[in-house]
Amino acid sequence: MHRIVQIVAFVCLMLIGSMGAKAQQSLVVVSNIYPPYVTEDVQNSFLPALFDEIGKEMGVRFEFKILPWLRCEQQVENHDAWGAIPYRKTEDREKTFAFSEPIYLQDSHFFGYDADGHKPRATFDELTDLRGYRIGGINGYYYEPWFEQAGLDVDYANSEEQNFRRLKAGRIDLFSTATTMGWHQIKNLFPPEEAAHFYTLDKPLVEGAGLYLMTAQTFPQNDVLLKRFNVALNTVKTTGTYGELVEKFGLKLRY
C-alpha cells in the first residue's frame, strides 16, 4: 500500500511539473542587428538581456529572431511574432500597431564625413533646408514619410553599415541614425584615423525619443500582454536591474 501511495505521489508531481512547464508562455520578438542594443552575439546584448529580465517578471519566455526591418514589421502584422524592437512611434504606425512604455531613450543625428576637414557642414531648421544634399536612409525606417514630405533626395540601403561606407566613399552626404549606435558602428567599421573624420550635425533629427516594443493591436489579448510587459519593465527599472544592464553594456542611463 505504501508503495502504491509513493507511485501515485510521483505521478502527481510529474503532472504538476508538466503543467507548470506548459504554463510558461513563449512570445516571439523580432529585431535586426542594431548595435549596441542588439549585436551579432544576440543573447549577450542589451535588449535581449533586458527582455530576459522582463520575461522573468512576466512569467514568459521571449524567443528572439533576427530579420530585416521590413520583415520584422510584417511578422508582427501577421501575428508570426508578438513584437518587434526597437521601434519608434509614428502616426502611421499607431494606426496599426500598439507600443509599450519606452524601453530606452536616444537621440538621432545626421552623420557626415569629411576627409579633408574643409567641407562646410550642413545646417537645418526644417528638413526642407537639406534639399540639394544626397541623403542616405534605410528601407522601412520611421523617417521615410518625413523625407518624402520634405522633398529630399534620398537613396535607401538595407543597413547602417552600408550607409556609413557610402558616406566615407562620398556617395551620399548625410545619413541619420541613432547617435549612440552610429558612433558604435563607426568605431567598429573604421580605423581611428578614418573614424575621426566623421561628424554629426548640431541639430538632432530626433531628440530624446523613445525606443519601444511594437506589437499588433489585433494580437490575441494584446492589451493584457502589454500591460503585463509595462509593469514588468517598471519593476526591472525600480529594482536597479535596468541600471545594471545599462552599465554592463556601456550605455547611458536614460529613462
Side-chain angles (χ1 to χ4, degrees), residues 125-141:
D125 292 315
E126 304 293 336
L127 281 175
T128 51
D129 297 334
L130 296 178
R131 289 174 183 170
Y133 291 92
R134 296 167 299 170
I135 309 295
I138 297 180
N139 291 308
Y141 265 34

Side-chain angles (χ1 to χ4, degrees), residues 66-81:
I66 302 300
L67 298 169
W69 291 117
L70 287 176
R71 282 195 60 198
C72 287
E73 193 164 320
Q74 291 166 357
Q75 291 271 305
V76 173
E77 196 165 5
N78 296 337
H79 297 183
D80 293 319

Side-chain angles (χ1 to χ4, degrees), residues 54-68:
I54 293 171
K56 292 175 187 177
E57 296 294 332
M58 289 179 67
V60 304
R61 183 176 67 86
F62 290 111
E63 177 186 350
F64 274 84
K65 292 184 178 179
I66 302 300
L67 298 169

Side-chain angles (χ1 to χ4, degrees), residues 87-88 90-97 99 140-142:
Y87 272 73
R88 294 193 187 275
T90 66
E91 289 184 10
D92 286 341
R93 284 175 177 168
E94 288 188 286
K95 295 174 184 176
T96 305
F97 301 103
F99 293 83
Y141 265 34
Y142 65 93

Side-chain angles (χ1 to χ4, degrees), residues 51-229:
F51 271 64
D52 283 346
E53 297 299 328
I54 293 171
K56 292 175 187 177
E57 296 294 332
M58 289 179 67
V60 304
R61 183 176 67 86
F62 290 111
E63 177 186 350
F64 274 84
K65 292 184 178 179
I66 302 300
L67 298 169
W69 291 117
L70 287 176
R71 282 195 60 198
C72 287
E73 193 164 320
Q74 291 166 357
Q75 291 271 305
V76 173
E77 196 165 5
N78 296 337
H79 297 183
D80 293 319
W82 176 50
I85 58 169
Y87 272 73
R88 294 193 187 275
K89 286 183 183 181
T90 66
E91 289 184 10
D92 286 341
R93 284 175 177 168
E94 288 188 286
K95 295 174 184 176
T96 305
F97 301 103
F99 293 83
S100 68
E101 294 297 316
I103 53 179
Y104 194 75
L105 297 178
Q106 67 170 8
D107 299 335
S108 287
H109 279 82
F110 281 102
F111 284 79
Y113 182 84
D114 182 6
D116 301 321
H118 303 303
K119 185 177 178 181
R121 299 185 180 186
T123 58
F124 73 102
D125 292 315
E126 304 293 336
L127 281 175
T128 51
D129 297 334
L130 296 178
R131 289 174 183 170
Y133 291 92
R134 296 167 299 170
I135 309 295
I138 297 180
N139 291 308
Y141 265 34
Y142 65 93
Y143 46 56
E144 281 191 48
W146 300 355
F147 291 172
E148 182 179 358
Q149 186 176 5
L152 301 185
D153 176 15
V154 187
D155 185 12
Y156 289 98
N158 293 317
S159 70
E160 280 81 7
E161 178 177 346
Q162 286 178 298
N163 279 294
F164 282 122
R165 293 194 184 281
R166 293 196 300 164
L167 264 182
K168 181 182 176 298
R171 292 199 292 272
I172 56 176
D173 300 313
L174 297 169
F175 166 58
S176 179
T177 192
T179 314
T180 302
M181 192 279 295
W183 286 120
H184 179 91
Q185 283 271 34
I186 289 167
K187 290 175 183 177
N188 281 278
L189 289 172
F190 305 101
E193 62 272 17
E194 293 179 0
H197 293 292
F198 285 89
Y199 63 88
T200 60
L201 302 192
D202 292 335
K203 180 179 177 178
L205 174 63
V206 178
E207 186 173 10
L211 296 177
Y212 299 85
L213 165 71
M214 184 176 76
T215 67
Q217 295 176 5
T218 54
F219 192 90
Q221 294 188 315
N222 191 60
D223 288 347
V224 174
L225 286 170
L226 266 185
K227 286 179 182 177
R228 289 173 57 197
F229 179 90

